[in-house]
Amino acid sequence: MGGASDGRTTARDQLRDRLRPRWVPAVAAVVTVAAGLSVRSVLGGDLAKYAGDALYALLTFWLVLVVAPRTRAWAAAVVAFAVSVAVELFQLTGIPAELGAHSALARLVLGTTFNAPDLPFYAVGAALGWALHRAVQSTRAVRRRRRPAPQQR
């Protein structure tokens, strides 16, 4: 675990151990935001809109893992899908449209109008998060198995 030489764990080691499982999803969240903000400049029409919906759920997936890094990937995907659907259904109230009229951030986070075809794309984004997370975990596991064991003195 890499504590102090006398076997005690330092505050720095404890902080590192708490942050380590969060850095990959945090970086992935930043990349997802960048992709989401740029997707409309690269793609057009419905393709851009629905790619944005999938990226919204993907971002939610990564944020679940930043907040609760021990969450299983399938559970994070379910939460991401559920939150995305809840936000979409919240648009039926008109409150997000009202908030979005006054705030670009509210418009980005909550959207403004309900659109039922968005729902399957949230599932796509959540599933993509699960698949990417599994791929990263598999890659890490392979690297750990290839590492030589530390030599004893």
Side-chain angles (χ1 to χ4, degrees):
M1 201 163 353
S5 60
D6 63 359
R8 288 183 291 152
T9 303
T10 66
R12 182 178 174 200
D13 293 332
Q14 290 173 346
L15 179 63
R16 184 192 66 231
D17 290 343
R18 290 188 71 197
L19 294 178
R20 181 179 293 147
R22 289 179 164 90
W23 79 266
V24 170
V27 169
V30 171
V31 170
T32 303
V33 168
L37 293 174
S38 63
V39 73
R40 288 192 187 251
S41 64
V42 176
L43 303 173
D46 286 344
L47 187 57
K49 183 199 179 326
Y50 295 124
D53 292 337
L55 289 168
Y56 182 89
L58 179 60
L59 173 62
T60 305
F61 175 87
W62 297 127
L63 293 177
V64 168
L65 292 177
V66 168
V67 172
R70 296 188 191 277
T71 303
R72 294 181 185 266
W74 67 266
V78 169
V79 169
F81 177 68
V83 167
S84 300
V85 169
V87 169
E88 190 71 29
L89 293 174
F90 184 50
Q91 294 169 358
L92 290 169
T93 68
I95 295 170
E98 179 64 29
L99 294 172
H102 304 290
S103 166
L105 181 60
R107 204 168 34 257
L108 283 171
V109 173
L110 299 175
T112 56
T113 55
F114 176 78
N115 187 29
D118 291 351
L119 300 176
F121 292 96
Y122 296 139
V124 169
L128 178 61
W130 174 84
L132 290 170
H133 186 269
R134 295 286 298 198
V136 168
Q137 294 303 326
S138 295
T139 302
R140 283 181 170 173
V142 167
R143 270 196 245 137
R144 275 193 295 266
R145 284 193 299 267
R146 288 184 184 166
R147 256 190 234 146
Q151 294 185 2
Q152 301 274 335
R153 288 186 183 194

